[in-house]
């Protein structure tokens, strides 16, 4: 068993009343490595100036975590097959909607990875699809959520 820690820090500004709902949602995520990430609610959920569009919001982080987890397993599986990967780019999209229980939820995440293979690697679409399927089955994050996670690889020439 492994444990992972994050420290989430938010402080009310002295000028804010708080109970009027006019307070900043800007906060910090700090990880065990010492890395700090400026975070905020999404401006689509809490309007400016009470959010910060330049900061990462939890919904984006959720999508990034799913994408990153999938990628890391995909790269591991490719390396074990001795298939060199030159690059992996995923422009993932998460959809926040009303779920079957009538609650707002991240109902769907679409991963759209584009993999560029090493010059001597010859793989067909079926092999790539199988690798993505296996990576999806192994992804800890995808295995932990109710969200439908779909993988739609972009095949390069």
């Amino acid at each position: 068993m492994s444990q992972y820690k994050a420290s989430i820090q938010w402080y009310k500004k002295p000028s804010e009343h708080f109970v009027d709902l006019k307070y900043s949602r800007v906060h910090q995520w700090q990880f065990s490595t010492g890395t700090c990430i400026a975070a905020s609610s999404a401006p689509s959920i809490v309007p400016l100036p009470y959010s910060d569009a330049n900061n990462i919001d939890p919904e984006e982080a959720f999508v990034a975590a799913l994408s990153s987890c999938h990628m890391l397993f995909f790269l591991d599986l490719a390396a074990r097959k001795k298939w060199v990967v030159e690059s992996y780019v995923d422009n993932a999209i998460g959809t926040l909607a009303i779920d079957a229980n009538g609650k707002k939820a991240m109902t769907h995440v679409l991963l759209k990875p584009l993999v560029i293979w090493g010059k001597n690697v010859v793989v067909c679409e079926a092999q790539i699809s199988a690798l993505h399927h296996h990576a999806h089955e192994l992804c800890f994050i995808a295995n932990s959520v109710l969200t439908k996670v779909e993988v739609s690889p972009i095949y390069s020439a």
Side-chain angles (χ1 to χ4, degrees):
M1 182 172 85
S2 300
Q3 290 187 329
Y4 301 88
K5 297 178 181 178
S7 175
I8 311 306
Q9 302 163 11
W10 172 89
Y11 301 96
K12 184 181 87 56
K13 294 177 183 168
S15 62
E16 295 174 331
H17 289 57
F18 188 73
V19 295
D20 61 1
L21 302 180
K22 295 179 181 179
Y23 60 92
S24 175
R25 274 48 167 211
V26 173
H27 56 285
Q28 293 287 320
W29 297 344
Q30 185 171 359
F31 299 94
S32 58
T33 61
T35 300
C36 286
I37 295 177
S40 174
S41 57
S44 60
I45 296 171
V46 177
L48 302 171
Y50 307 112
S51 61
D52 187 334
N54 295 312
N55 292 8
I56 303 302
D57 62 67
E59 296 79 16
E60 290 173 315
F62 180 78
V63 172
L66 283 164
S67 176
S68 182
C69 185
H70 180 89
M71 178 199 69
L72 292 169
F73 276 109
F74 183 91
L75 294 175
D76 180 71
L77 293 169
R80 290 175 189 276
K81 289 186 174 288
K82 308 295 186 215
W83 297 347
V84 175
V85 174
E86 292 295 331
S87 67
Y88 182 111
V89 177
D90 183 5
N91 294 304
I93 301 169
T95 302
L96 186 67
I98 304 300
D99 70 8
N101 296 319
K103 295 181 178 182
K104 252 189 196 178
M106 191 66 69
T107 58
H108 184 252
V109 172
L110 176 62
L111 307 181
K112 303 186 310 180
L114 170 61
V115 177
I116 303 298
W117 299 97
K119 63 181 175 178
N120 296 324
V121 177
V122 178
V123 291
C124 68
E125 287 186 15
Q127 290 171 306
I128 296 168
S129 291
L131 210 61
H132 279 295
H133 179 75
H134 192 187
H136 180 66
E137 287 181 335
L138 294 172
C139 176
F140 309 141
I141 308 299
N143 290 334
S144 302
V145 299
L146 299 175
T147 304
K148 178 183 178 188
V149 180
E150 180 182 357
V151 182
S152 181
I154 299 170
Y155 300 101
S156 62

